[in-house]
Amino acid sequence: MNLGRREQLLILLLAVAVAFGLGAKYTLYRQIPVSQPAVEKSDTPPQIRVHVSGAVYRPGVYLLPQGSRVIDAVEKAGASTDADLDAMNLAQFLEDGRKVPVPQKIKTEGQLLPDSSNPFVAPVPRAGPATVNGGTGTGVVARVNINTADSAALDTLPGVGPATAQKIIEYRTANGQFASVDDLINVTGIGEKKLEQLRDYVFIQ
């Protein structure tokens, strides 16, 4: 079939239009990003497990949200009445798999201070071998806080009997808490020699 020049030109223009349209469609297809499958997000935050032991009512392993602090673990386990929470850093962050030992309150006679290996308790220097109330003991005794100790606790100090213990309490009542251990020199019955003897066994807080 013979086509005129006009028909040939129309066919050529149509072919160019089709080619242009296919090219544009291909380019648009290349620019559209391939959709990725949606990843389901969990509303549950990451959790950690910690072991609470010591002076608590419910010792054991607890599941806590990541970012929890020592106080959260202690509250889960329930601190007992003899738990010494003031000796702990309750604001410290917890790590997965950590053990949280809760110390007991310091007793005044024949007891050690809190274990310095406990990572949640600030280390406290231990007193050396002591001679208690004129005896010849060689055991380690706890230091006594002269601002809070009662007569029985003060009576365990070397060279301090019931009478001197009562004078310490009377001085504290009349003058307020001791500002330093050196203030013991102001208590009747305590001289320089006895003060030096007491330094390793008392503290203030």
Side-chain angles (χ1 to χ4, degrees), residues 82-198:
D82 62 343
D84 190 2
L85 299 184
D86 288 337
M88 303 184 70
N89 181 2
L90 297 175
Q92 184 173 345
F93 283 105
L94 291 170
E95 300 172 357
D96 184 53
R98 200 67 184 265
K99 184 174 183 180
V100 183
V102 180
Q104 290 182 319
K105 291 179 180 177
I106 301 172
K107 296 184 180 179
T108 57
E109 186 174 1
Q111 299 292 326
L112 296 178
L113 296 180
D115 186 0
S116 61
S117 65
N118 188 339
F120 304 105
V121 175
V124 181
R126 287 177 169 83
T131 300
V132 181
N133 292 336
T136 56
T138 57
V140 179
V141 297
R143 293 192 303 162
V144 174
N145 183 352
I146 56 176
N147 278 331
T148 59
D150 57 14
S151 180
L154 294 169
D155 192 21
T156 66
L157 294 170
V160 175
T164 304
Q166 185 58 38
K167 290 176 182 177
I168 292 174
I169 293 175
E170 290 174 356
Y171 179 87
R172 190 174 67 198
T173 302
N175 300 280
Q177 293 190 334
F178 292 96
S180 72
V181 172
D182 291 335
D183 288 344
L184 281 173
I185 196 69
N186 299 320
V187 177
T188 303
I190 297 180
E192 291 286 351
K193 186 176 180 180
K194 184 172 291 188
L195 176 60
E196 291 304 316
Q197 186 181 9
L198 290 172

Side-chain angles (χ1 to χ4, degrees), residues 31-109:
Q31 292 178 348
I32 297 175
V34 178
S35 59
Q36 299 293 335
V39 178
E40 294 185 3
K41 293 184 179 180
S42 174
D43 294 333
T44 304
Q47 294 184 310
I48 59 174
R49 293 181 187 273
V50 295
H51 178 196
V52 187
S53 64
V56 292
Y57 291 117
R58 300 178 297 277
V61 176
Y62 288 90
L63 195 63
L64 297 170
Q66 189 172 15
S68 295
R69 301 175 187 261
V70 172
I71 182 63
D72 301 315
V74 173
E75 287 180 348
K76 282 277 188 180
S80 61
T81 54
D82 62 343
D84 190 2
L85 299 184
D86 288 337
M88 303 184 70
N89 181 2
L90 297 175
Q92 184 173 345
F93 283 105
L94 291 170
E95 300 172 357
D96 184 53
R98 200 67 184 265
K99 184 174 183 180
V100 183
V102 180
Q104 290 182 319
K105 291 179 180 177
I106 301 172
K107 296 184 180 179
T108 57
E109 186 174 1

